Amino acid sequence: MTLAEPTRRLLRTVLRGVPTPRRNPFALLYLALLLGTTLFARFGDADLVHRLQSLSSTDAHNLLAHPVLALLGSGLWVAGPIWTPYFWAFLLTVAPLERRVGGVRAAGVFAAGHVIATLLSQAVVVVAVAAGAMAPDALDALDIGVSYGVLASLGALALLLPPAGRLLVLAGALAMVGHQVATDNDLVTAVGHPAALLIGILAARFVGRGPRRPRRVVEWVLRPA
């Protein structure tokens, strides 16, 4: 076997992992939507952007007043002005999960993480405000973004990996979330991020189809369902 043959095999494996509309319709459409709202937030009318984001926020008051609109709307924005980190997050979590289990199941994991982790984190805020541990204005704090869906996708993907990859990815994910909880004073993300990761881990048993034979981790992640 020549040196060129392993190189060609590696290249073919990597190319199979490149998102395409056929293999990753959910991930690509969602990324395009987030790119559009990010550009609108940056270049659109500031007052209109503020009104739309405030209406989309999953703060406690919005969840009580219009829960469906808040839960749907909050998933249309990225938290912050930069879209690029979400491109890489989707490329490394949502896209390979979608290739593995299909678009509908991947969307289900993403939505479950977004919705359930949001409700749990805001319930903790309500309890903290009622107990006097947080100021009442926490019930109106802006809460938008897709990080819960991404972390749920990461949790599900990790559990569907072969054992070596599973331990590596889970250790990295737990370290990342643990570092954020330890260094960030935001109660919402301190509850929501670990919850979203756990939701994805639990969802893996319902959406996954394990590999029929042992595979290298990279080959497994990149292969389509």
Side-chain angles (χ1 to χ4, degrees):
M1 181 184 294
T2 66
L3 183 61
E5 181 60 25
T7 302
R8 285 196 293 268
R9 289 184 179 179
L10 178 61
L11 181 60
R12 286 196 297 267
T13 301
V14 171
L15 288 177
R16 283 199 300 269
V18 175
T20 66
R22 180 175 176 272
R23 291 195 293 256
N24 292 109
F26 171 67
L28 291 180
L29 284 173
Y30 211 131
L31 275 173
L33 175 63
L34 292 175
L35 177 59
T37 57
T38 302
L39 292 173
F40 173 70
R42 179 176 297 183
F43 301 110
D45 179 76
D47 289 337
L48 178 59
V49 170
H50 176 72
R51 287 198 300 271
L52 290 176
Q53 289 186 342
S54 297
L55 188 65
S56 302
S57 172
T58 47
D59 58 76
H61 281 157
N62 275 356
L63 286 174
L64 287 174
H66 42 80
V68 175
L69 177 60
L71 288 167
L72 289 176
S74 63
L76 301 179
W77 309 90
V78 301
I82 304 176
W83 173 83
T84 308
Y86 294 90
F87 169 79
W88 291 109
F90 271 66
L91 181 68
L92 297 174
T93 61
V94 181
L97 178 65
E98 182 178 13
R99 284 193 298 273
R100 179 61 187 160
V101 304
V104 173
R105 292 182 180 184
V109 172
F110 191 97
H114 177 69
V115 172
I116 299 174
T118 294
L119 295 177
L120 286 174
S121 61
Q122 290 299 328
V124 171
V125 170
V126 171
V127 172
V129 170
M134 295 183 72
D137 58 4
L139 299 174
D140 295 302
L142 185 68
D143 185 20
I144 56 175
V146 294
S147 60
Y148 296 163
V150 170
L151 282 168
S153 300
L154 176 60
L157 179 65
L159 261 287
L160 298 177
L161 287 170
R166 181 184 311 154
L167 292 176
L168 181 63
V169 173
L170 279 178
L174 290 172
M176 177 182 65
V177 171
H179 174 74
Q180 184 177 40
V181 171
T183 58
D184 195 341
N185 293 325
D186 184 10
L187 178 63
V188 173
T189 56
V191 173
H193 284 179
L197 184 64
L198 178 60
I199 290 162
I201 291 171
L202 296 175
R205 63 174 297 185
F206 299 105
V207 301
R209 297 191 297 271
R212 296 180 180 177
R213 60 181 177 85
R215 293 173 177 266
R216 293 189 298 270
V217 171
V218 172
E219 178 187 357
W220 188 94
V221 171
L222 295 180
R223 80 181 183 89

